[in-house]
Amino acid sequence: MLEQALPPATVEAPPCRLCGSALRVTVVDLGMSPLCEHFLDAHELDAMEPFYPLHVRICESCLLVQLPEYVSPEEIFTEYAYFSSYSDSFVRHARDYAEQMVPRLGLGPDSLVIEVASNDGYLLQHFVQLGVPVLGIEPAANVAAAAVERGVPSRVEFFGRDSAQRLRDEGWRADLIVGNNVLSQAPHINDFVAGMKIVLAGDGTATVEFPHLMRLLEDDLFDTIYHEHFTYFSLLTAERIFAAHGLTVFDLEEVATHGGSLRLFIRHADGDERPVTAAVEEFRAREEAFGLTSFEVYEAFSKRVEETKRALLAFLVQAKDEGKTIAGYGAPGKANTLLNYCGIRTDFVELTVDRNPYKHGRFTPGTHIPIHAPERLAELRPDYIWIMPWNLKDEIVEQLAYAREWGAQFFVAIPRLEVLA
């Protein structure tokens, strides 16, 4: 239970997706926003565009921080604009993970790695190269097709109890289940984790990675809140979910992706050959000391979100008053949360560029900023380049070193407004 009651939400309370309790407590309300990966074609610009609340709540009973399911996963993920392989750092992260897991778990040609939400094969391709059989489960057909072209066998479906049971009935049992940045995107979390239990081999291991709630609150990473992210996890709440389905978190690592994530190692609860490590116990104590079970940390976060909005708008207004041109680099989902929350359109940002050809010629949802190929920056020669995927800022500044030639300055808005040296 929270140590102090938070202010009640102003609308009828939806149920918690884990325990069913009424969600009466607001963490942060970012207003109305469109789906962050629904990039628009030119002919759609004059059509009605649906907006949905970005109103995050916390369950007073089980402490799960969550966004109600305003939009079904079928509407969001059946065709998707995010391809992981366009981030060099994510591909390196995936390669390092595979090279670590193969010896640690003794994986080989008789093993099986199943990745749920396998995207375009950016991760499983490394296991294939190491001679380990794989299977990807990916609901977005357009993204799964890219994985198949990479030599990664993939099924186009949503993962849960039913799909896991079909896999098991066909003889599939995973020595390793990988779930990177998918736990937050599963609105039916009990169904999803139950599926992991079904298809995991008796002595198998599952690993999940997710942006860590403590880092979101501590570093004001509110742009990682969007409709595709239904749930925002701490170790405390993740352990509770897995335990409810006969699974145990026995180890963890902190990883740098998405501004700070957790990688949890999970086994069947009745498998006692791998005891829970001291790292799990110590991290649980860190979360409690940070205040994840108290009111103050959430109230302070909500106030800082408003301060970030004011600081960004003040910076943009001053830059435009001085006659500066501003272009974006990247069109990630997180940028669309920030752009819509702050009401930033082409009056501030003329255009943005992205390495993903799928987005070229399209427009950002809600704010209608045009998206071009990266080469457009050299033609425009903007005074400021706003790095919207701030978690990749070092990689991007290195890629765009040529922009220094005309005096361009780079800046990020999250975790705080910063003009990069």
Side-chain angles (χ1 to χ4, degrees):
M1 292 291 293
L2 291 173
E3 295 175 2
Q4 180 178 347
L6 284 101
T10 57
V11 297
E12 182 178 354
C16 172
R17 62 173 43 90
L18 175 59
C19 72
S21 300
L23 295 173
R24 296 185 296 267
V25 174
T26 294
V27 172
V28 67
D29 187 349
L30 299 178
M32 303 291 288
S33 189
L35 298 181
C36 75
E37 293 286 350
H38 184 70
F39 296 92
L40 304 176
D41 290 322
H43 71 271
E44 298 178 285
L45 294 179
D46 290 335
M48 186 278 292
E49 190 173 359
F51 279 56
Y52 306 93
L54 275 179
H55 188 167
V56 180
R57 297 168 167 90
I58 185 170
C59 177
E60 295 171 277
S61 297
C62 71
L63 302 181
L64 187 64
V65 174
Q66 57 201 282
L67 187 67
E69 186 183 340
Y70 297 113
V71 190
S72 73
E74 288 78 10
E75 184 173 348
I76 295 172
F77 296 115
T78 300
E79 181 175 358
Y80 205 46
Y82 181 72
F83 291 72
S84 298
S85 291
Y86 287 108
S87 169
D88 295 339
S89 62
F90 279 140
V91 174
R92 285 194 300 270
H93 177 72
R95 182 195 63 217
D96 293 344
Y97 168 82
E99 292 176 350
Q100 176 187 345
M101 289 301 107
V102 167
R104 175 170 177 168
L105 302 179
L107 301 176
D110 296 325
S111 307
L112 174 65
V113 178
I114 293 178
E115 184 181 12
V116 289
S118 49
N119 202 259
D120 60 3
Y122 81 106
L123 185 146
L124 288 181
Q125 65 180 340
H126 301 293
F127 285 100
V128 172
Q129 292 163 8
L130 294 169
V132 181
V134 304
L135 177 65
I137 310 294
E138 170 56 49
N142 64 315
V143 181
V148 172
E149 291 179 3
R150 283 194 171 84
V152 175
S154 303
R155 291 193 179 195
V156 179
E157 60 184 356
F158 287 92
F159 182 78
R161 284 188 182 92
D162 291 344
S163 60
Q165 191 61 56
R166 286 194 297 271
L167 288 169
R168 182 165 177 154
D169 291 345
E170 294 170 21
W172 300 88
R173 298 296 299 278
D175 300 286
L176 172 62
I177 296 176
V178 185
N180 284 4
N181 304 306
V182 61
L183 204 62
S184 298
Q185 296 181 335
H188 310 299
I189 191 65
N190 285 301
D191 182 68
F192 185 90
V193 175
M196 295 178 66
K197 170 76 172 176
I198 290 169
V199 81
L200 183 65
D203 58 352
T205 300
T207 70
V208 296
E209 291 182 21
F210 51 82
H212 186 212
L213 174 64
M214 190 167 74
R215 293 298 298 274
L216 186 156
L217 297 172
E218 186 174 31
D219 294 335
D220 305 329
L221 309 182
F222 66 91
D223 61 339
T224 60
I225 294 170
Y226 38 87
H227 301 102
E228 288 85 341
H229 283 179
F230 296 99
T231 314
Y232 303 84
F233 288 100
S234 62
L235 170 63
L236 294 168
T237 53
E239 282 190 303
R240 184 173 289 118
I241 290 167
F242 287 112
H245 295 278
L247 297 167
T248 295
V249 177
F250 70 90
D251 201 4
L252 64 76
E253 297 174 354
E254 293 182 82
V255 294
T257 54
H258 298 291
S261 297
L262 286 187
R263 176 187 293 159
L264 305 185
F265 292 79
I266 298 152
R267 57 166 170 79
H268 289 287
D270 55 5
D272 58 359
E273 71 283 358
R274 288 169 288 179
V276 176
T277 66
V280 175
E281 307 287 352
E282 292 167 1
F283 201 87
R284 191 185 303 123
R286 278 178 57 188
E287 289 190 337
E288 292 173 349
F290 178 77
L292 290 183
T293 60
S294 67
F295 163 58
E296 288 82 3
V297 69
Y298 299 100
E299 182 180 44
F301 168 71
S302 184
K303 291 180 179 178
R304 291 195 304 273
V305 167
E306 297 173 0
E307 292 169 0
T308 297
K309 176 178 180 176
R310 292 193 295 270
L312 174 59
L313 288 173
F315 173 81
L316 295 175
V317 168
Q318 180 177 344
K320 298 304 289 186
D321 285 348
E322 294 173 354
K324 306 294 187 182
T325 54
I326 304 169
Y329 185 95
K334 60 168 63 77
N336 292 320
T337 291
L338 185 59
L339 291 171
N340 280 282
Y341 174 61
C342 295
I344 297 168
R345 298 176 175 80
T346 53
D347 51 344
F348 285 119
V349 180
E350 295 188 26
L351 56 86
T352 191
V353 302
D354 199 278
R355 292 177 65 187
N356 185 351
Y358 181 89
K359 300 177 182 179
H360 297 168
R362 301 192 183 204
F363 298 79
T364 58
T367 54
H368 299 181
I369 296 171
I371 306 168
H372 295 262
E375 294 74 20
R376 185 71 177 89
L377 285 180
E379 300 171 6
L380 181 64
R381 298 168 69 89
D383 299 298
Y384 285 107
I385 299 175
W386 179 359
I387 299 177
M388 296 188 178
W390 46 262
N391 51 311
L392 305 176
K393 65 181 181 182
D394 293 337
E395 171 185 331
I396 293 168
V397 167
E398 183 178 348
Q399 292 173 1
L400 300 182
Y402 63 86
R404 302 285 194 190
E405 297 175 5
W406 67 78
Q409 292 182 281
F410 304 102
F411 74 94
V412 294
I414 304 289
R416 59 197 55 82
L417 182 67
E418 179 184 6
V419 178
L420 305 175

